[in-house]
Amino acid sequence: TAGKVLKYNGNIITAYYYSTSCGKTTTMAAWGTKEKAENAYLQSVEVRDQTGDYERNLPWYRWTVDVTAARLSTILYKNTGKDVGSIRKIYISKRGPGKVALELKVKGDKGNLTIKTENKIRSALAGDYDIRKQDGSKVKFRTLLPSAFITITKKKSQIHIRGGGFGHGIGMSQTGANEMAKQGKTYKEILKLFYSDITVEN
């Protein structure tokens, strides 16, 4: 690809990328940026073929977190400065393209909290706890949750977060591109999946 550029409507694009998809990508809406004509090449697409998601066998394709409500309340206070007290309810109140979380609401006995955009949600929920990848391995992410493609459920005093992918989800998935290449896809086929209606030019 040396010497090649990607263009959309005659302009060189900003080719965002990230580590691993959950099977879908998202748009600039995840960052709270308005979707407009100039960034319309960043669409939510399915990273799959007729046999299924390209990354379905990779460790970061799916991951889970189990944390007590009391501990998560402390984590939220540390990360946002807001003390909600005992968490009574926590849920995704708004989703964007590809089902990425755009807004998280927390209701506690001391107050409520609303967090917007994928990055701020990932920052707010990050703590010193184990994240279990689908291969069974465990890691800790103290500053950022792996992605905002998540569901959150509360059962009594436990909170379960189920997530997919690693990164912001906008543009090209690096491991997705790698899996496509292993299956014989050309660089143009790969780029045209992740960046809609672009041209590859010298």
Side-chain angles (χ1 to χ4, degrees), residues 50 54 56-57 60 64 71 82 90 103 108 114 121 123 131 144 155 166 171 174 184 193-194:
Q50 63 280 4
Y54 288 115
R56 62 189 178 274
N57 297 319
W60 278 119
T64 57
R71 193 171 175 197
K82 173 86 174 174
I90 180 167
E103 187 179 270
T114 301
I121 290 168
S123 296
I131 296 168
L144 213 58
K155 216 171 189 178
F166 185 1
Q174 291 170 296
L193 171 73
F194 292 107

Side-chain angles (χ1 to χ4, degrees), residues 105-179:
K105 283 190 186 288
V106 187
K107 296 188 175 181
D109 64 357
K110 287 188 184 175
N112 301 330
L113 180 61
T114 301
I115 303 156
K116 297 180 179 182
T117 75
E118 68 88 28
N119 192 270
K120 285 182 178 159
I121 290 168
R122 290 167 69 195
S123 296
L125 294 172
D128 187 20
Y129 47 65
D130 287 331
I131 296 168
R132 282 187 307 281
K133 297 187 252 184
Q134 70 173 8
D135 65 355
S137 62
K138 293 178 182 177
V139 287
K140 291 183 193 295
F141 275 78
R142 293 177 178 88
T143 56
L144 213 58
L145 209 59
S147 88
F149 293 87
I150 55 171
T151 59
I152 300 183
T153 48
K154 182 178 181 292
K155 216 171 189 178
K156 294 181 180 170
S157 64
Q158 282 290 124
I159 289 168
H160 178 72
I161 303 171
R162 187 167 188 265
F166 185 1
H168 50 67
I170 300 165
M172 185 178 74
S173 160
Q174 291 170 296
T175 57
N178 191 42
E179 293 303 309

